[in-house]
Amino acid sequence: GAVVSQHPSWVICKSGTSVKIECRSLDFQATTMFWYRQFPKQSLMLMATSNEGSKATYEQGVEKDKFLINHASLTLSTLTVTSAHPEDSSFYICRPVGNTEAFFGQGTRLTVV
Amino acid sequence: AQSVSQHNHHVILSEAASLELGCNYSYGGTVNLFWYVQYPGQHLQLLLKYFSGDPLVKGIKGFEAEFIKSKFSFNLRKPSVQWSDTAEYFCAVRGRQAGTALIFGKGTTLSVSS
């Protein structure tokens, strides 16, 4: 079955630094990748949709200059949280678009101190 | 506006009790519906999904859900819960069009006591 690898699984960074999260589809090509964010005790909220070879589209209220998304190949999409602040601490999850909704990345727990 | 509403924020049951978690959605057009489970410290797992056909769908771990179009509902059920069912449950909807993102409900925490 389709496998999605998200890295790192957890990261602690200092306020003001940037963090890059990678999401790889290991055995299929994903032209589209969804990025979600989940705050504690809350649901997953769609942040942005990345498309291979083109600019990502962001949901309302998500700063595109803060959350940089790159989808340079059909198997890799990256989310970079720039100048991270404590309020960015959250669980970030990717999901490539395929023929099933079963596969999500393992998620990245980001803690900004 | 597109949205998913899960009525129960926290459900507490004893083992062997029956479970029903409510889910209603608001979405223009034909939809696909999903239930996911998230065990503590783990990532999301797909429990079941409805695309078309029989509105009563069966999933893994003994769960089932019924799509009632007239009520815009997709409630999750299990006849007899186990302690291992303790988890967070999310209902989600998306449009039929390819590449449409999932919209999630806020989730229901299920706690099962042994």
Side-chain angles (χ1 to χ4, degrees), chain A residues 32 34 36 38 41-44 46 91 93 95 97 100-102 104-106, chain B residues 9 34 36 38 43-44 46 49 51 90 94 99-102 104-107:
Chain A
T32 301
F34 295 116
Y36 292 87
Q38 184 183 27
K41 303 297 184 183
Q42 296 188 29
S43 185
L44 283 76
L46 181 66
F91 192 59
I93 307 171
R95 185 178 82 81
V97 173
T100 173
E101 280 71 17
F104 286 77
Q106 301 94 320
Chain B
H9 178 65
F34 309 84
Y36 290 89
Q38 187 175 33
H43 60 279
L44 285 170
L46 180 65
K49 60 186 177 183
F51 280 15
F90 294 97
R94 73 165 178 83
T100 310
L102 288 165
F104 287 86
K106 290 188 176 182

Side-chain angles (χ1 to χ4, degrees), chain B residues 3-39:
Chain B
S3 66
V4 177
S5 175
Q6 291 183 239
H7 315 302
N8 314 101
H9 178 65
H10 192 182
V11 173
I12 302 172
L13 295 173
S14 299
E15 274 195 316
S18 64
L19 169 72
E20 180 161 2
L21 302 182
C23 173
N24 286 89
Y25 66 92
S26 173
Y27 200 101
T30 310
V31 298
N32 295 331
L33 295 152
F34 309 84
W35 274 98
Y36 290 89
V37 61
Q38 187 175 33
Y39 297 102

Side-chain angles (χ1 to χ4, degrees), chain B residues 22-80:
Chain B
C23 173
N24 286 89
Y25 66 92
S26 173
Y27 200 101
T30 310
V31 298
N32 295 331
L33 295 152
F34 309 84
W35 274 98
Y36 290 89
V37 61
Q38 187 175 33
Y39 297 102
Q42 297 187 26
H43 60 279
L44 285 170
Q45 296 180 37
L46 180 65
L47 272 180
L48 47 79
K49 60 186 177 183
Y50 171 79
F51 280 15
S52 63
D54 188 345
L56 182 63
V57 293
K58 295 188 183 301
I60 61 172
K61 304 177 187 288
F63 286 91
E64 65 178 31
E66 184 176 12
F67 171 50
I68 303 179
K69 188 176 181 180
S70 61
K71 295 185 178 180
F72 301 94
S73 70
F74 190 56
N75 292 355
L76 181 71
R77 299 194 292 250
K78 185 171 183 178
S80 175

